[in-house]
Amino acid sequence: MIGILGGTFDPVHYGHLRPALDVFQSLGLERLSFVPLRVAVHRPQPQASSEARLAMLEAAIEGQAGFAVDPRELRRQTPSYTHETLMSLRDELGSRRSLCLLIGADAFAGFLSWYRPMEILELAHLVVMCRPGYDPASEPAPHRLYRERGCEDAADLRALPAGRIQLRDVTQLGISSTRIRRLIAEGGSPRYLLPDPVLDYIERTGLYRSNHGF
Ligand code: ATP
Ligand code: MG
């Protein structure tokens, strides 16, 4: 069973990495790929370039067995639809392997407004990571979806290639990239919110010092 975590990663931080490792370990994933988007669909475009976000991700996961960065969305000029990403992954994996799409509880709340959500569920399971300030069960629409498709054990995900939803209790870290960008623009340091190699990259390149595009 393999997993992917899509996002802007502008920049990657411990709120991505630790919950991702929790899921990786508790579900016994063979591989977890971080998939940075190129063209955002539901939000302002990233502040840092694709190259910078890719370099920070690679620095962040260096040395963690089973973690990988998958740059396939960066190669597409078109909007980074998760549906398209999952279709191309499915082509590589075949139809029988279990595939998990990890998303934070905030993203799950808006899941039904994504491009082709029900087709996404034909391609992958959803693994929802709790996030401070967001209750994955509070939104009525995803809640209904969860009632129909929810399951609690890793074995339930393993039994099918796609289509189930699982809420995972991960390490709660109240960290967001928005907060980190704002902190740096205001002259502060994001130390201890993200890995040192990412901090080094940000300091070396002067990323996020200008205060636009929070
Ligand atoms: P931004 O503030 O720019 O939106 P972010 O911190 O939310 O950044 P994203 O790149 O938007 O990071 O998130 C990628 C994925 O990781 C999303 O599914 C999001 O819900 C999840 N995620 C981000 N931060 C956390 C966190 N602290 N805990 C759990 N999940 C998180
Ligand atoms: Mg976000």
Side-chain angles (χ1 to χ4, degrees):
M1 183 155 72
I2 75 160
I4 71 168
L5 173 60
T8 315
F9 303 112
D10 190 19
V12 60
H13 53 68
Y14 285 132
H16 300 122
L17 295 161
R18 182 64 226 184
L21 187 63
D22 289 335
V23 171
F24 178 75
Q25 291 179 340
S26 63
L27 294 185
L29 299 180
E30 294 153 55
R31 187 176 81 222
L32 176 53
S33 299
F34 294 77
V35 185
L37 63 77
R38 174 170 179 147
V39 183
V41 181
H42 284 298
R43 50 171 293 147
Q45 296 309 317
Q47 193 171 327
S49 67
S50 296
E51 295 70 30
R53 291 178 295 114
L54 183 64
M56 290 189 282
L57 266 173
E58 276 168 350
I61 65 155
E62 163 99 56
Q64 174 54 52
F67 275 19
V69 183
D70 181 336
R72 75 184 65 217
E73 291 187 357
L74 300 181
R75 297 195 201 107
R76 299 199 305 255
Q77 307 286 339
T78 47
S80 298
Y81 291 121
T82 302
H83 177 254
E84 198 174 328
T85 303
L86 291 173
M87 283 208 300
S88 76
L89 260 172
R90 261 290 160 225
D91 281 346
E92 292 166 18
L93 294 174
S95 57
R96 301 169 70 108
R97 294 269 298 278
S98 298
L99 173 58
C100 296
L101 173 65
L102 279 60
I103 59 173
D106 58 313
F108 181 56
F111 177 70
L112 287 173
S113 67
W114 287 21
Y115 183 63
R116 302 196 167 160
M118 300 318 283
E119 276 115 310
I120 287 177
L121 276 165
E122 284 169 22
L123 295 162
H125 300 300
L126 278 190
V127 174
V128 183
M129 307 180 293
C130 55
R131 183 172 187 178
Y134 301 93
D135 174 5
S138 69
E139 298 280 321
H143 189 48
R144 195 162 55 241
L145 202 59
Y146 179 69
R147 270 210 309 276
E148 289 159 11
R149 291 165 176 268
C151 65
E152 286 182 4
D153 299 324
D156 298 325
L157 299 177
R158 227 170 263 288
L160 288 169
R164 310 300 300 270
I165 302 176
Q166 191 156 110
L167 307 183
R168 301 298 304 186
D169 194 11
V170 296
T171 309
Q172 299 273 300
L173 294 169
I175 303 173
S176 73
S177 302
T178 301
R179 198 171 133 227
I180 290 171
R181 292 192 301 274
R182 185 172 297 137
L183 196 60
I184 298 169
E186 289 168 359
S189 166
R191 186 180 294 278
Y192 308 137
L193 299 174
L194 37 68
D196 282 345
V198 178
L199 178 70
D200 291 345
Y201 184 96
I202 290 171
E203 288 184 347
R204 206 170 54 243
T205 55
L207 265 176
Y208 307 121
R209 285 206 202 130
S210 67
N211 63 349
H212 66 273
F214 291 149

